[in-house]
Amino acid sequence: MERSVFPKDFIIGTSTASYQIEGAVLEGGRGASIWDVFSHTPGMIHNGDTGDIACDHYHRYPEDIALMKELGVRGYRMSVAWPRIFPKGSGRSNMPGLDFYNRLVDALLEAGIEPMVTLYHWDLPQALQEKGGWGNRDTVLYFADYADTVFRSLGDRVKKWNTLNEPICTAFTGHWFGRHAPGIKDASLAVQVSHHLMLAHAMAVEAFRQSGLDGRLGIALNLYPIYPASQLPEDKKAAWFADGFYNRWFLDPVMKGAYPEDMLSVYRENLNAPVIRDGDMEKIAGSHVDFLGINYYFRKIVKSSESNDFLPMEEVRPEGAEFTEMGWEVYPQGLLDLLRRVHRDYDGPCMMITENGAAFKDNIIRDGIIQDDDRVSYLERHLEKAREAISEGIKLEGYYIWSLIDNFEWGHGYSKRFGLFHVDYNTLERSWKKSARWLKRYIEENNL
Ligand code: FCB
């Protein structure tokens, strides 16, 4: 049987984020972000690592773009650091910051690579955190201003945008579980933050529509296909709950303009949150995205549990499965299940895989090249599922690999390597891994 082919305009790209690669935290008038403060707080990051230097992409971007050109990818998903544009979060914009991203975008286009820009990949200006951060409703307005400034500066050339990256991580990992900046553990605040993020997203969409610029807007959600650990009714119920917690709480407002009623009552009963003001839901409902960005890494298997406060669910680790260095299960079928589900339940939207990839040990070296066969196999199998989804009529337009280069993996510091290219953190030298060579061939062979 002949394999189905990728549509001609399907984009294979690579993905990164500002704080994870740029470094140069004190240059070009950049203000501090919450990740600068968090990473410099003892005990928060593996090995005390920080993003101070990271991959020094701020200075080495021409080299990174040259690598992408050589690799043959057509797209690059990057993020803008808010504190480079507004060092204090609001007020007057900082020209050197805008200049940097203008140069970057020009260099990408020059190399024939289409930029997709994420406005918020977690680096909130610290000055705003000091006024309450995402818990403070004013931050929503500051975000809309910041978004508008970036749209007007880059929007003549950037045609694909993500407002936020993984709002659940900002809201819950940052404010409920305290594992990400700003490192707060307050469930009510976390749920309130999630509402402010949905509003911020909506206001950025509105600002874009009002700017009259042409281009397409999305949001990158990390979604999970969720499976019950058994066919027992209580496990199925727990899986549905987990789906509400991880997926629907963000998907529903973005795609349907309303929070899921079941989760809204759970939060209202247990947390007195979120506080929703008159007009908020109308704003959210009016903010249609042109595509949904999906970050997919692994599935969740869930059983019912009473030990987890008011969250009646517990995750089960699949026996004998294949895992990455992050401890994440390798489960390509989950990508297809997830795409089918969103297609079915949310009216067949246009979608992009805004992140997919894996960290592995990368410790086998032959002929001076990292033999990351595990990453090759990971990517190949997930791309196959993407192709299968397309052949079923699912509107999947692109696949962006996390990540272009090894980088600062948040709480794990530099200990987890996701790159197609290896970075030597002593010399900052980049080198091709086997997976990058494989991808180059894959792109050629599939006419992508
Ligand atoms: C996602 C993040 C991204 C990267 C990958 C591994 O949750 O969006 O920045 O850290 O995980």
Side-chain angles (χ1 to χ4, degrees), residues 6 37 59 106 178 212 229 231 234 250 260 305 331 368 386 415 422 425 434 447:
F6 284 110
V37 173
H59 297 113
D106 286 343
Q231 290 309 308
E234 57 267 35
F250 298 89
S305 160
Y331 193 67
S415 68
H422 175 265
Y425 291 115
K434 188 174 182 180
N447 291 318

Side-chain angles (χ1 to χ4, degrees), residues 52-187:
D52 289 3
I53 298 171
C55 310
D56 195 32
H57 173 78
Y58 184 80
H59 297 113
R60 291 166 200 255
Y61 72 88
E63 187 188 334
D64 292 336
I65 293 173
L67 289 176
M68 277 191 268
K69 188 172 178 186
E70 179 64 27
L71 187 61
V73 287
R74 290 200 358 226
Y76 177 52
R77 173 174 177 251
M78 51 172 271
S79 80
V80 168
W82 185 346
R84 287 202 190 279
I85 312 302
F86 290 100
K88 297 269 170 241
S90 64
R92 275 186 46 177
S93 59
N94 173 46
M95 262 337 247
L98 287 166
D99 288 346
F100 168 65
Y101 293 108
N102 269 297
R103 287 197 302 274
L104 184 56
V105 163
D106 286 343
L108 283 163
L109 293 172
E110 176 89 359
I113 299 163
E114 185 203 42
M116 174 198 273
V117 172
T118 302
L119 291 169
Y120 187 72
H121 203 124
W122 308 352
D123 36 7
L124 184 77
Q126 174 62 18
L128 293 185
Q129 190 57 44
E130 280 154 24
K131 296 187 204 161
W134 284 110
N136 177 353
R137 227 183 126 91
D138 292 344
T139 299
V140 174
L141 301 176
Y142 296 138
F143 179 73
D145 278 348
Y146 155 64
D148 189 56
T149 304
V150 179
F151 290 147
R152 286 175 200 278
S153 174
L154 306 179
D156 56 335
R157 287 149 293 150
V158 173
K159 299 297 165 197
K160 287 200 179 98
W161 301 88
N162 292 136
T163 54
L164 309 174
N165 178 69
E166 303 190 352
I168 194 175
C169 292
T170 302
F172 295 179
T173 318
H175 296 81
W176 193 328
F177 312 123
R179 289 198 310 271
H180 278 179
I184 294 169
K185 291 184 183 169
D186 177 339

Side-chain angles (χ1 to χ4, degrees), residues 101-399:
Y101 293 108
N102 269 297
R103 287 197 302 274
L104 184 56
V105 163
D106 286 343
L108 283 163
L109 293 172
E110 176 89 359
I113 299 163
E114 185 203 42
M116 174 198 273
V117 172
T118 302
L119 291 169
Y120 187 72
H121 203 124
W122 308 352
D123 36 7
L124 184 77
Q126 174 62 18
L128 293 185
Q129 190 57 44
E130 280 154 24
K131 296 187 204 161
W134 284 110
N136 177 353
R137 227 183 126 91
D138 292 344
T139 299
V140 174
L141 301 176
Y142 296 138
F143 179 73
D145 278 348
Y146 155 64
D148 189 56
T149 304
V150 179
F151 290 147
R152 286 175 200 278
S153 174
L154 306 179
D156 56 335
R157 287 149 293 150
V158 173
K159 299 297 165 197
K160 287 200 179 98
W161 301 88
N162 292 136
T163 54
L164 309 174
N165 178 69
E166 303 190 352
I168 194 175
C169 292
T170 302
F172 295 179
T173 318
H175 296 81
W176 193 328
F177 312 123
R179 289 198 310 271
H180 278 179
I184 294 169
K185 291 184 183 169
D186 177 339
S188 296
L189 176 66
V191 170
Q192 192 58 38
V193 163
S194 68
H195 178 57
H196 291 162
L197 287 166
M198 288 299 97
L199 263 185
H201 160 73
M203 297 215 30
V205 173
E206 189 180 305
F208 187 78
R209 305 287 182 227
Q210 281 178 0
S211 73
L213 290 159
D214 68 305
R216 298 171 70 216
L217 238 77
I219 181 171
L221 300 181
N222 49 321
L223 301 176
Y224 304 88
I226 298 178
Y227 309 85
S230 80
Q231 290 309 308
L232 291 173
E234 57 267 35
D235 287 345
K236 287 188 176 172
K237 209 171 142 201
W240 182 244
F241 185 92
D243 185 64
F245 183 85
Y246 291 107
N247 298 329
R248 287 179 290 119
W249 185 248
F250 298 89
L251 255 177
D252 282 15
V254 167
M255 306 300 290
K256 296 182 170 168
Y259 290 108
E261 282 300 331
D262 55 341
M263 298 313 293
L264 203 53
S265 3
V266 168
Y267 294 143
R268 290 231 157 107
E269 275 161 32
N270 294 281
L271 301 171
N272 295 317
V275 176
I276 299 176
R277 289 204 196 153
D278 281 356
D280 287 2
M281 292 321 293
E282 285 73 13
K283 274 212 164 60
I284 290 174
S287 62
H288 299 287
V289 288
D290 302 301
F291 65 87
L292 176 69
I294 296 180
N295 296 355
Y296 172 69
Y297 288 98
F298 55 93
R299 66 169 165 173
K300 287 183 188 285
I301 302 173
V302 172
K303 68 172 186 185
S304 114
S305 160
E306 270 152 34
S307 59
N308 203 359
D309 200 7
F310 63 90
L311 308 177
M313 56 178 182
E314 197 182 306
E315 279 180 49
V316 178
R317 206 175 148 83
E319 292 281 332
E322 194 184 333
F323 294 95
T324 70
E325 271 299 283
M326 295 294 281
W328 296 348
E329 187 195 2
V330 179
Y331 193 67
Q333 179 62 31
L335 177 62
L336 183 57
D337 291 350
L338 177 62
L339 290 168
R340 283 178 176 158
R341 185 275 169 105
V342 176
H343 179 78
R344 184 191 65 220
D345 293 352
Y346 295 88
D347 252 356
C350 293
M351 296 184 267
M352 317 253 187
I353 306 298
T354 32
E355 288 181 27
N356 178 240
F360 288 110
K361 276 209 172 66
D362 289 356
N363 58 356
I364 304 171
I365 300 169
R366 211 182 316 125
D367 305 328
I369 287 189
I370 289 171
Q371 305 292 316
D372 56 341
D373 293 285
D374 34 19
R375 185 171 290 103
V376 170
S377 156
Y378 180 100
L379 295 173
E380 191 166 28
R381 285 181 284 162
H382 284 81
L383 276 160
E384 205 40 55
K385 292 298 172 189
R387 181 168 14 207
E388 212 172 314
I390 295 167
S391 72
E392 294 178 7
I394 291 171
K395 290 182 229 134
L396 181 64
E397 301 181 3
Y399 176 94

